[in-house]
Amino acid sequence: MIKHDINENRKVLQAMYEDCALCPRNCHVNRDRALGYCGQSSEIRIARAALHFWEEPELSGACEGVEDPRGSGTVFFMGCNLRCTYCQNYEISRYVATDPLHKPQTEGTDVQQTEVLSESAAGTKACSGRAVTVEELAGIFLHLQAQGALNINLVTAFMHMPKIACALDLAKSKGLKLPVVYNSSGYESVEMLRHLDGLIDVYLPDLKYLDADLGAALSHAADYPEVAKEAIAEMVRQTDTIVRHLVLPGHVRESKRVLSYLHETYGDRIRISIMSQYTPVGPASETHPELNRRITKREYDRVVDHAIAIGITNAYIQDRAVAKESFIPAFHNLLIL
Ligand code: SF4
């Protein structure tokens, strides 16, 4: 568990930026001077901070019979260490810091990484977010609480957890009482997660696929399945965990494998969110034409039928009507409280 002396905590965690291994890419760059795979400096940039009403009902407060959900106090951070070809938030996941002091690491970088960084540079036109200090971020958390948020929901936060942990400590010292949700791709370092023990109340990771070839083709990470499995095990060890699985068009068999693995491994200790909302956005349609459509009702029904057949009862199932671009936040319209 991380220490709760704010000043000491800031010092210890800040040191993690100097030889960055905050995620499984293990770039070992000094984030004050160079960029790693994620393209993020040590500066926190956020794309959006607002109440969000389309998370799982227990997080947003939205459910049948509730007309005025309070919403999840969601903070979207810029950048990502995966940048999946079909990313539903591609406008922000492709962001690469543009400060001239921060150069992409090219020495020892493989071709795939270089390609991802140049692909990312093109994405910077869509949304560059806003830089915030630790103090400003703590203020945003408190403002979300004042707005009635049910929780603080950190979306793709791993790159900045040293500073975000400090912002949470600071906000708590000023009255933040809300539970903290850690919303993640699942591609996380177990060692970094151990530093969050006691700080996070609900983990909300994806488990995208178990097939290494799919991890390589769609997420630039052949090790995605093994890394995500270990990360989820650590999350479940620590606290309440909801695992999301987004059903992709043409990949029903893989979805069934994922659900079987989760149920066999964790049973009812986790909740599973079976998501139907895949929408073809971003560059996936050019590189992977099979992803250039929404999933069919039959595909989703086959996945849900499998979940029922193997005995999963602790699950969220989505109305396919949510598969609309309007349910993806408009990141180019910067909305920060
Ligand atoms: S957080 Fe970024 S710089 Fe650090 S290891 Fe991960 S990808 Fe590399």
Side-chain angles (χ1 to χ4, degrees), residues 20-29 31 34-40 80-81 158-160:
C20 192
L22 280 163
C23 86
R25 296 290 183 191
N26 289 320
C27 301
H28 293 290
V29 294
R31 301 257 306 271
L35 303 179
Y37 186 98
C38 63
Q40 302 307 298
C80 187
N81 60 354
F158 67 92
M159 297 159 286
H160 294 295

Side-chain angles (χ1 to χ4, degrees), residues 223-291:
D223 62 348
Y224 175 86
E226 294 314 310
V227 167
K229 283 197 282 188
E230 285 181 24
I232 289 169
E234 172 62 17
M235 294 174 186
V236 176
R237 185 193 69 76
Q238 287 182 24
T239 189
D240 197 15
T241 301
I242 305 170
V243 181
R244 285 175 162 175
H245 175 69
L246 178 67
V247 181
L248 295 175
H251 290 288
V252 167
R253 186 183 300 174
E254 187 63 11
S255 291
K256 289 181 179 178
R257 276 185 76 198
V258 167
L259 296 185
S260 294
Y261 167 78
L262 289 171
H263 187 57
E264 285 162 14
T265 309
Y266 298 108
D268 284 343
R269 282 191 291 152
I270 60 168
R271 272 121 39 243
I272 302 174
S273 182
I274 308 171
M275 305 179 81
S276 66
Q277 70 189 60
Y278 174 78
T279 305
V281 291
S285 55
E286 290 162 26
T287 53
H288 296 84
E290 78 278 11
L291 297 178

Side-chain angles (χ1 to χ4, degrees), residues 20-297:
C20 192
L22 280 163
C23 86
R25 296 290 183 191
N26 289 320
C27 301
H28 293 290
V29 294
N30 182 336
R31 301 257 306 271
D32 287 328
R33 300 200 199 106
L35 303 179
Y37 186 98
C38 63
Q40 302 307 298
S41 70
S42 57
E43 178 183 69
I44 309 172
R45 289 193 85 83
I46 61 177
R48 184 180 174 92
L51 298 178
H52 189 52
F53 301 97
W54 298 286
E55 301 288 29
E56 284 71 7
E58 68 185 88
L59 302 178
S60 291
C63 59
E64 207 174 330
V66 177
E67 291 183 0
D68 185 22
R70 287 168 54 188
S72 177
T74 309
V75 183
F76 291 87
F77 294 89
M78 303 293 294
C80 187
N81 60 354
L82 285 179
R83 303 191 195 96
C84 303
T85 55
Y86 55 87
C87 180
Q88 305 289 280
N89 295 337
Y90 78 98
E91 287 176 272
I92 63 172
S93 65
R94 264 56 177 176
Y95 174 76
V96 171
T98 51
D99 181 338
L101 288 175
H102 293 86
K103 304 292 185 197
Q105 182 192 40
T106 50
E107 268 178 44
T109 303
D110 63 21
V111 173
Q112 186 188 61
Q113 179 171 338
T114 306
E115 284 170 357
V116 171
L117 283 168
S118 55
E119 175 198 341
S120 304
T124 59
K125 295 188 188 103
C127 173
S128 55
R130 181 192 295 176
V132 292
T133 64
V134 166
E135 289 74 15
E136 287 168 333
L137 187 57
I140 287 170
F141 294 153
L142 289 167
H143 201 83
L144 286 166
Q145 177 171 266
Q147 295 277 307
L150 281 169
N151 45 61
I152 298 299
N153 185 349
L154 308 170
V155 183
T156 318
F158 67 92
M159 297 159 286
H160 294 295
M161 277 319 293
K163 287 185 176 176
I164 295 168
C166 296
L168 286 168
D169 286 341
L170 183 59
K172 285 179 182 177
S173 75
K174 294 182 174 183
L176 182 71
K177 305 277 186 231
L178 297 179
V180 178
V181 180
Y182 188 86
N183 190 325
S184 155
S185 69
Y187 196 63
E188 300 275 352
S189 150
V190 169
E191 194 180 336
M192 196 281 288
L193 290 172
R194 288 194 184 122
H195 284 278
L196 308 186
D197 197 353
L199 188 70
I200 304 300
D201 298 284
V202 180
Y203 280 107
L204 187 60
D206 296 336
L207 184 56
K208 298 172 186 292
Y209 2 74
L210 293 178
D211 183 290
D213 290 341
L214 274 180
L218 301 182
S219 299
H220 312 284
D223 62 348
Y224 175 86
E226 294 314 310
V227 167
K229 283 197 282 188
E230 285 181 24
I232 289 169
E234 172 62 17
M235 294 174 186
V236 176
R237 185 193 69 76
Q238 287 182 24
T239 189
D240 197 15
T241 301
I242 305 170
V243 181
R244 285 175 162 175
H245 175 69
L246 178 67
V247 181
L248 295 175
H251 290 288
V252 167
R253 186 183 300 174
E254 187 63 11
S255 291
K256 289 181 179 178
R257 276 185 76 198
V258 167
L259 296 185
S260 294
Y261 167 78
L262 289 171
H263 187 57
E264 285 162 14
T265 309
Y266 298 108
D268 284 343
R269 282 191 291 152
I270 60 168
R271 272 121 39 243
I272 302 174
S273 182
I274 308 171
M275 305 179 81
S276 66
Q277 70 189 60
Y278 174 78
T279 305
V281 291
S285 55
E286 290 162 26
T287 53
H288 296 84
E290 78 278 11
L291 297 178
N292 196 20
R293 65 169 173 87
R294 291 178 179 147
I295 63 167
T296 63
K297 179 177 184 311

